[in-house]
Amino acid sequence: MEVIIQPEETAAARLVARIIAKELRANPHLVMGLATGRTMEAVYEELVRMHNDERLDFSLCHTFNLDEYVGLRPGAAGSYRAYMNRHLFSRVNIDARDTHLPDGTASDLDAECRGYETLIQKFGGIDLQLLGIGRAGHIGFNEPLSALRSRTRVKQLTPTTILQNAPMFGRPGKVPRRAITMGVGTILESRRCVLLATGREKAEIVAKAVEGPITSMISATALQLHPWCTVIVDEAAASELQGGAYYRWVFANEPEWAEFRLKRPRGRAPARSGARTTRSPRRRNRPPA
Ligand code: F6R
């Protein structure tokens, strides 16, 4: 696992979008696993900008979303299909037939879940899985005690998740109680995982997910088992991490990340009037104490 700390939310979302764009340019047939939620909105906004300004092409890729509420028609306002259409699919050149979400209105939900797994396999598995993290540590809707080898299935949502998602529905009573979600095992099979978390309210759970013991009580801890998982956080979400200095040092020095590091402004910073000009200590390439 790698952790990248960005100065603020926009920079963190942009970095995620740049990683996706790089993968998509290298492989236009990329199979992307997508997430919804407030955190992802900035990522999709940046992907749309790249599509408009930098000709980022989505015409050959395929997408599989992590989850969908049970009982909501795809067109329903709170459905994740509607979210994806609004934030990404209707704004880039992707064919709707190449975008996949579980059908939460299927008459046989178990068959729908099995079919979703089969479809992912048919496309050769997920190349890049985008993830957010819930306040109780879920990835997808893998609520506490989700088996670490679980597959796509129906899950009952916890009160924490219902409260977290209530703003999208107006009030908690309107949030569907169940959802179809890819399993932890399904997610762990993707070739690469990128998790984005921003804001102070995610700091405690990010620290547990990254640095705590692996436990089915916090499904995001399972990502510690993934061979290529990048966790991208802003300063606020990083504020309870113990290893911040080490993570920053790796990001500053790892050649793989060179093209993703924020460019420092050229030239000397203008001296403030009356202030003495001092040289700032060199921090960048120093290993953590
Ligand atoms: C949604 C999903 C969830 C969210 C998580 C964070 O498809 O998979 O795991 O990523 O609940 O949601 P926000 O970003 O709204 O805090």
Side-chain angles (χ1 to χ4, degrees):
M1 190 182 260
E2 284 173 300
V3 179
I4 298 178
I5 303 169
Q6 292 290 281
E8 35 74 38
E9 193 178 334
T10 313
R14 273 203 195 126
L15 179 54
V16 172
R18 287 174 69 198
I19 291 171
I20 296 171
K22 187 180 176 190
E23 292 257 356
L24 189 54
R25 288 195 168 105
N27 173 16
H29 296 272
L30 196 72
V31 179
M32 281 191 279
L34 298 178
T36 59
R38 275 158 292 171
T39 316
M40 293 305 146
E41 290 175 15
V43 175
Y44 297 138
E45 200 57 46
E46 179 64 6
L47 287 175
V48 170
R49 190 200 63 73
M50 287 172 158
H51 169 68
N52 292 331
D53 300 351
E54 298 167 16
R55 296 188 185 169
L56 185 62
D57 181 17
F58 293 81
S59 63
L60 299 174
C61 73
H62 292 265
T63 67
F64 285 88
N65 267 76
L66 282 165
D67 38 27
E68 179 59 284
Y69 291 109
V70 168
L72 287 193
R73 281 176 298 101
S79 73
Y80 283 166
R81 165 62 76 178
Y83 171 105
M84 290 309 304
N85 287 346
R86 194 163 61 245
H87 291 288
L88 187 69
F89 298 157
S90 67
R91 302 170 70 196
V92 298
N93 63 335
I94 192 164
D95 188 327
R97 287 168 298 185
D98 296 332
T99 66
H100 307 277
L101 285 93
D103 178 0
T105 61
S107 54
D108 184 341
L109 290 172
D110 290 342
E112 173 64 18
C113 295
R114 284 194 302 276
Y116 202 62
E117 289 272 339
T118 307
L119 200 59
I120 293 172
Q121 293 310 317
K122 202 178 131 203
F123 281 91
I126 289 169
D127 294 311
L128 173 63
Q129 178 66 59
L130 185 57
L131 296 162
I133 183 169
R135 277 178 224 159
H138 69 205
I139 45 176
F141 274 135
N142 289 287
E143 304 291 49
L145 289 183
S146 288
L148 300 185
R149 297 174 69 182
S150 51
R151 314 300 309 185
T152 301
R153 70 218 183 287
V154 175
K155 280 300 281 182
Q156 187 74 31
L157 305 182
T158 60
T160 314
T161 299
I162 289 169
L163 274 182
Q164 182 194 304
N165 292 358
M168 271 82 83
F169 292 87
R171 60 185 168 83
K174 287 196 166 176
V175 182
R177 294 309 196 240
R178 296 190 305 157
I180 295 180
T181 180
M182 279 187 206
V184 181
T186 320
I187 293 168
L188 289 182
E189 274 171 21
S190 52
R191 187 173 57 85
R192 181 176 190 182
C193 286
V194 176
L195 185 145
L196 173 66
T198 56
R200 185 70 189 81
E201 69 277 11
K202 296 285 173 72
E204 192 183 335
I205 199 65
V206 163
K208 285 182 179 161
V210 170
E211 297 173 340
I214 296 173
T215 166
S216 63
M217 284 300 288
I218 300 172
S219 60
T221 60
L223 294 170
Q224 295 173 29
L225 297 168
H226 195 281
W228 192 8
C229 176
T230 308
V231 173
I232 296 171
V233 286
D234 63 357
E235 291 283 357
S239 57
E240 297 205 16
L241 289 168
Q242 301 291 309
Y246 171 63
Y247 310 144
R248 287 177 216 276
W249 186 79
V250 172
F251 183 62
N253 291 280
E254 177 62 59
E256 182 208 336
W257 292 116
E259 66 190 284
F260 292 100
R261 293 196 270 268
L262 289 176
K263 305 262 181 308
R264 287 202 282 176
R266 282 160 174 264
R268 249 190 294 156
R272 268 178 276 137
S273 56
R276 215 156 52 94
T277 322
T278 52
R279 287 184 65 184
S280 59
R282 272 168 57 91
R283 283 184 56 198
R284 249 185 63 165
N285 292 337
R286 192 183 307 152

